[in-house]
Amino acid sequence: MRSWLTRSAMLACVVTVLLLFRDRLPDWPAVRAAVAHASPAWLAVVVVAEWLSMEMFARLQRRLLLGGGVRMSLSRAFAVTYAGNALSTTLPAGPAVSVVYSFRQFRRAGASPRLATAVILLGGVFTTAAYTVVGLAALLSEPHSRAPVGAALAAAAAGIAAVALVCRLPRARTALVGLNRRALRSALRRPRSAWLIRRVASVRGVLRLRRADWGALALLAALNWLFDILSLAAAAKAVGLGLAPYEVALVYFAAQAAGSALPLLPGGLGAIDGSMVVGMAAFGAAPAAAGAATGLYRLVSYWAVVALGWLAWLALRAGETRLRRIPLGRPALPNPLPWSPLPGPALPAAAVAHSGSGPGTGPEPVPADPYRSMR
């Protein structure tokens, strides 16, 4: 109830702002003219950059699975990424639904529950850290924000160094350990935080990542955001806007923050689009050109990606249905030996032939891959 009241209040505020500043909104005929004269070459860059952005995230999850000993085809990783994105950005409680869906897809690929959880958690850590680093780089590139952001980063680094020096003292180390234990006990008393802490603790050691893997994962997470920003910059170039790269990045991050702060519609519709237009206009862009650039970018980064995501979801669903309909073959005869450990039908004949050591002693049969046609 409270969330609906909050969203209603946000929607009322947005409608009020639109009514007060309706004279400054982009003129629709001018926006349509700007879109009609957009550069085809830059529009191609918009599409390719957005495709590469999604590809980087798919490769990130695929590499994490590989770190746990599970191989997933690249086409299937793409399908899971696009389908999860469609669920996250179009359904109510979409992020939670997307997490559950990705978890089940990783399990079907052969990952254990601990590995599937580790891939989801560590993937979120990498993408969030890369988001923060790229955002700070954009702020440091802006002349007006360079000094305050640099001072804040220097103060944070000095604080971390001071804490590291103090922790070398035995008494300070003992006090810090006690403080951490009290904080952990307090968090474990809360059901939600206790569940998250136990989840994080349960996946420790399930991934075996080398130094090269850590570097590759960090690079893939950063490229995921950089290619998305490049898509927005190409959309601005397509309609003739000469925004600097750091200006496009700041507009992008401001729009992402607005979409998170004003979750009125799925996918940040309205909040992200409006903040992008306002941000570009603040850097000197004409309202009509800013509206055209935003529309072209969102057409590719949201609507086209969502459409591909639902098609991927349907393809994965159809593959799972085919897998359930595949017959396992004629069951083998019951084991006549008197020392049979469990009564009932034996394993399928294919599994017995694969083991080479009689029923019940070899590995379990590997199900057929329903996504072979997608490779």
Side-chain angles (χ1 to χ4, degrees):
M1 183 65 180
R2 185 178 301 176
S3 61
W4 283 106
L5 291 176
T6 303
R7 292 192 177 189
S8 300
M10 290 180 180
L11 183 60
C13 292
V14 170
V15 171
T16 302
V17 171
L18 290 176
L19 291 176
L20 292 175
F21 296 94
R22 61 182 180 274
D23 295 335
R24 301 183 183 181
L25 295 177
D27 185 37
W28 171 244
V31 172
R32 186 171 54 187
V35 171
H37 294 85
S39 169
W42 282 112
L43 291 179
V45 175
V46 174
V47 176
V48 172
E50 196 60 38
W51 170 265
L52 290 174
S53 174
M54 298 294 293
E55 180 179 349
M56 294 302 107
F57 187 73
R59 289 182 180 273
L60 172 74
Q61 293 186 320
R62 183 170 178 259
R63 196 175 187 103
L64 286 171
L65 284 172
L66 187 60
V70 175
R71 293 184 177 274
M72 176 184 283
S73 66
L74 193 57
S75 59
R76 183 173 179 178
F78 283 169
V80 173
T81 299
Y82 275 90
N85 179 78
L87 294 173
S88 177
T89 56
T90 56
L91 296 181
V97 176
S98 176
V99 167
V100 174
Y101 179 80
S102 299
F103 178 85
R104 290 177 177 174
Q105 290 298 324
F106 296 155
R107 292 282 289 122
R108 290 190 178 99
S112 64
R114 291 178 60 197
L115 178 58
T117 304
V119 170
I120 293 173
L121 290 178
L122 198 55
V125 169
F126 270 103
T127 53
T128 303
Y131 179 88
T132 304
V133 171
V134 176
L136 289 174
L139 288 173
L140 290 173
S141 300
E142 211 280 329
H144 296 90
S145 62
R146 186 177 303 161
V149 173
L153 290 177
I160 293 173
V163 171
L165 290 175
V166 170
C167 287
R168 292 188 175 183
L169 301 176
R171 292 184 178 179
R173 189 183 309 165
T174 303
L176 185 61
V177 170
L179 181 62
N180 290 336
R181 287 179 178 175
R182 288 193 295 271
L184 181 60
R185 290 170 185 169
S186 177
L188 289 175
R189 294 191 189 100
R190 301 177 181 179
R192 291 185 180 181
S193 57
W195 177 86
L196 181 59
I197 291 172
R198 292 191 180 95
R199 278 287 185 180
V200 174
S202 66
V203 302
R204 184 177 56 184
V206 71
L207 290 173
R208 296 177 178 86
L209 300 176
R210 301 166 297 177
R211 292 184 179 179
D213 294 326
W214 288 98
L217 291 169
L219 179 61
L220 290 172
L223 290 176
N224 171 40
W225 298 110
L226 291 175
F227 278 123
D228 202 12
I229 296 173
L230 176 60
S231 180
L232 177 59
K237 284 287 187 180
V239 296
L241 292 180
L243 298 177
Y246 73 87
E247 293 175 339
V248 176
L250 290 177
V251 169
Y252 176 87
F253 286 109
Q256 295 294 328
S260 301
L262 300 173
L264 301 177
L265 295 174
L269 290 174
I272 291 180
D273 307 81
S275 62
M276 280 187 176
V277 173
V278 172
M280 292 182 187
F283 284 113
T294 300
L296 290 173
Y297 166 74
R298 293 287 280 172
L299 178 64
V300 175
S301 66
Y302 180 75
W303 295 106
V305 170
V306 164
L308 289 175
W310 281 112
L311 290 176
W313 183 86
L314 290 174
L316 291 172
R317 179 86 173 180
E320 294 162 8
T321 304
R322 287 200 306 271
L323 179 61
R324 285 194 293 267
R325 292 177 179 175
I326 294 177
L328 294 178
R330 182 180 298 174
L333 294 175
N335 193 338
L337 298 179
W339 45 265
S340 177
L342 291 176
L347 290 175
V352 177
H354 178 73
S355 66
S357 304
T361 60
E364 295 181 359
V366 179
D369 184 3
Y371 310 103
R372 187 171 298 169
S373 61
M374 297 177 59
R375 291 195 182 103

